[in-house]
Amino acid sequence: MKNKNFDVIITGGSYSGLSAGMSLGRSLRNVLIIDNGKPCNRQTPHSHNFVTHDGKTPAEIAKLAKEDVQKYNTVHFYNGTVVKTQKTTEGFVIETSFGEKFNAKKLILALGVKDIMPDIPGFAECWGTSVIHCPYCHGYEVKNEVTGILSNGDTAYEFSKLIFNLTKDLTLFTNGKSSLSKEQIEKLGHNKIVLNEDEIKEIKHENGFIQKIVFKNGKELPLQALYAKIPFEQNINVSGDLGCGMTEQGFIKVDMMQKTNIPGVFACGDNVTMMRSVANAVAQGNFAGAVVNKELADEEF
């Protein structure tokens, strides 16, 4: 790519990044979207809870979104992986895995997050298909099914309330000794939610669809859906490279305007919120793009 200088660089070309790009493109901003084409929901067969796109595949939604953004000729695309971000006196320098460097006045971080899979055979293969993270995105499709939750402690207890609304055939798997309080366990029992502390050996499945859970003690349990709360990490070292503030949960800290603590750096999508949904990512990206354009307009006027 010959042009190395842009008004705005967006790291990540999925839903939030594309939405920010459209907002900026419609404001005639010179924008570069850098993306490697590997969104975290690429295994998910269908996306839900996004009006006008309910039930479409994530890939289809992303394809349509990119086609829309490509209509704005001031928005450019680069297929690659961001490996380093650096603040300079002029703005920001972004370096890719191919060694290319690009400059921008403003930076929007929209790379999402990287899920860290537990060491359970079958888990990764089912992730996004029958091992799911969000009742709003996938819960309706597995309502009233034989369902499990893989979590522990306060997170498991709070998550159980949401899933109990969708199915009454529910088991909470702590994969080892429970860290729930006595009161929480009693409440689960009152609602006939089974607490299982057996350690999981593997998840038996067919093409990503769970058949049963196999435990290290030899027991097996048929299952059709499993909600899981698993750890994640940022896709790039934004706290170290840029000095962005982070929340206790590991998200990039932003204010109501999608601004980080670093002037000129904005963030939107899964990397800033636990509400991981396509609709939310699109909304945040749209708003972040508008705020960035306003900031550029104020500085240029």
Side-chain angles (χ1 to χ4, degrees), residues 41 43-46 123-133 138:
N41 65 353
Q43 286 187 195
T44 305
H46 300 285
F123 186 99
E125 292 82 355
C126 295
W127 182 242
T129 302
S130 58
V131 176
I132 51 185
H133 78 284
H138 309 290

Side-chain angles (χ1 to χ4, degrees), residues 3-5 9 86 93-96 99-103:
N3 183 23
K4 301 292 184 181
N5 301 303
I9 288 179
Q86 182 180 357
V93 176
I94 307 302
E95 185 175 345
T96 74
E100 287 200 71
K101 295 182 179 181
F102 301 97
N103 307 298

Side-chain angles (χ1 to χ4, degrees), residues 187-215:
K187 193 68 173 180
L188 292 175
H190 174 76
N191 287 294
K192 297 182 172 57
I193 297 174
V194 178
L195 177 62
N196 187 312
E197 299 180 89
D198 295 339
E199 293 187 13
I200 297 173
K201 178 182 178 182
E202 64 176 317
I203 297 174
K204 291 286 188 180
H205 67 96
E206 290 185 9
N207 299 317
F209 290 92
I210 297 176
Q211 304 299 305
K212 58 185 176 182
I213 303 290
V214 180
F215 300 95

Side-chain angles (χ1 to χ4, degrees), residues 15-16 18-24 268 281-291:
Y15 314 103
S16 59
L18 288 170
S19 183
M22 174 177 280
S23 186
L24 288 160
C268 53
V282 170
Q284 285 192 354
N286 177 268
F287 185 61
V291 174

Side-chain angles (χ1 to χ4, degrees), residues 171-281:
T171 301
L172 174 59
F173 301 101
T174 56
N175 194 27
K177 186 172 178 56
S178 164
S179 59
L180 283 87
S181 68
K182 179 181 177 182
E183 293 76 16
Q184 289 172 334
I185 293 174
E186 289 177 352
K187 193 68 173 180
L188 292 175
H190 174 76
N191 287 294
K192 297 182 172 57
I193 297 174
V194 178
L195 177 62
N196 187 312
E197 299 180 89
D198 295 339
E199 293 187 13
I200 297 173
K201 178 182 178 182
E202 64 176 317
I203 297 174
K204 291 286 188 180
H205 67 96
E206 290 185 9
N207 299 317
F209 290 92
I210 297 176
Q211 304 299 305
K212 58 185 176 182
I213 303 290
V214 180
F215 300 95
K216 292 181 179 180
N217 58 15
K219 296 179 182 178
E220 297 181 352
L221 190 67
L223 203 66
Q224 291 173 293
L226 179 67
Y227 290 87
K229 288 289 188 181
I230 61 175
F232 66 89
E233 61 186 12
Q234 295 289 330
N235 277 303
I236 55 174
N237 185 16
V238 292
S239 59
D241 288 350
L242 290 172
C244 289
M246 309 295 290
T247 69
E248 291 182 2
Q249 295 80 22
F251 297 105
I252 301 172
K253 187 180 293 185
V254 294
D255 63 13
M256 295 295 290
M257 306 300 282
Q258 304 299 140
K259 295 182 180 183
T260 72
N261 61 303
I262 305 301
V265 181
F266 300 73
C268 53
D270 290 354
N271 55 10
V272 303
T273 178
M274 65 180 65
M275 185 61 180
R276 293 172 59 178
S277 73
V278 174
N280 192 52

Side-chain angles (χ1 to χ4, degrees), residues 45-82:
H46 300 285
S47 178
H48 293 281
N49 208 28
F50 183 14
V51 292
T52 74
H53 292 295
D54 190 52
K56 291 181 179 177
T57 66
E60 183 181 4
I61 297 172
K63 179 176 180 292
L64 291 170
K66 187 172 183 178
E67 289 174 355
D68 284 344
V69 179
Q70 285 175 324
K71 296 173 184 175
Y72 300 93
N73 57 17
T74 62
V75 181
H76 310 275
F77 292 85
Y78 179 90
N79 183 17
T81 301
V82 175

Side-chain angles (χ1 to χ4, degrees), residues 123-183:
F123 186 99
E125 292 82 355
C126 295
W127 182 242
T129 302
S130 58
V131 176
I132 51 185
H133 78 284
C134 174
Y136 299 104
C137 300
H138 309 290
Y140 185 85
E141 283 62 45
V142 294
K143 63 183 183 300
N144 301 320
E145 301 285 5
V146 181
T147 303
I149 299 172
L150 178 58
S151 187
N152 207 345
D154 292 339
T155 300
Y157 180 72
E158 294 301 323
F159 207 32
S160 296
K161 297 177 185 178
L162 289 175
I163 311 308
F164 182 70
N165 181 58
L166 295 167
T167 180
K168 299 300 183 282
D169 196 340
L170 185 59
T171 301
L172 174 59
F173 301 101
T174 56
N175 194 27
K177 186 172 178 56
S178 164
S179 59
L180 283 87
S181 68
K182 179 181 177 182
E183 293 76 16

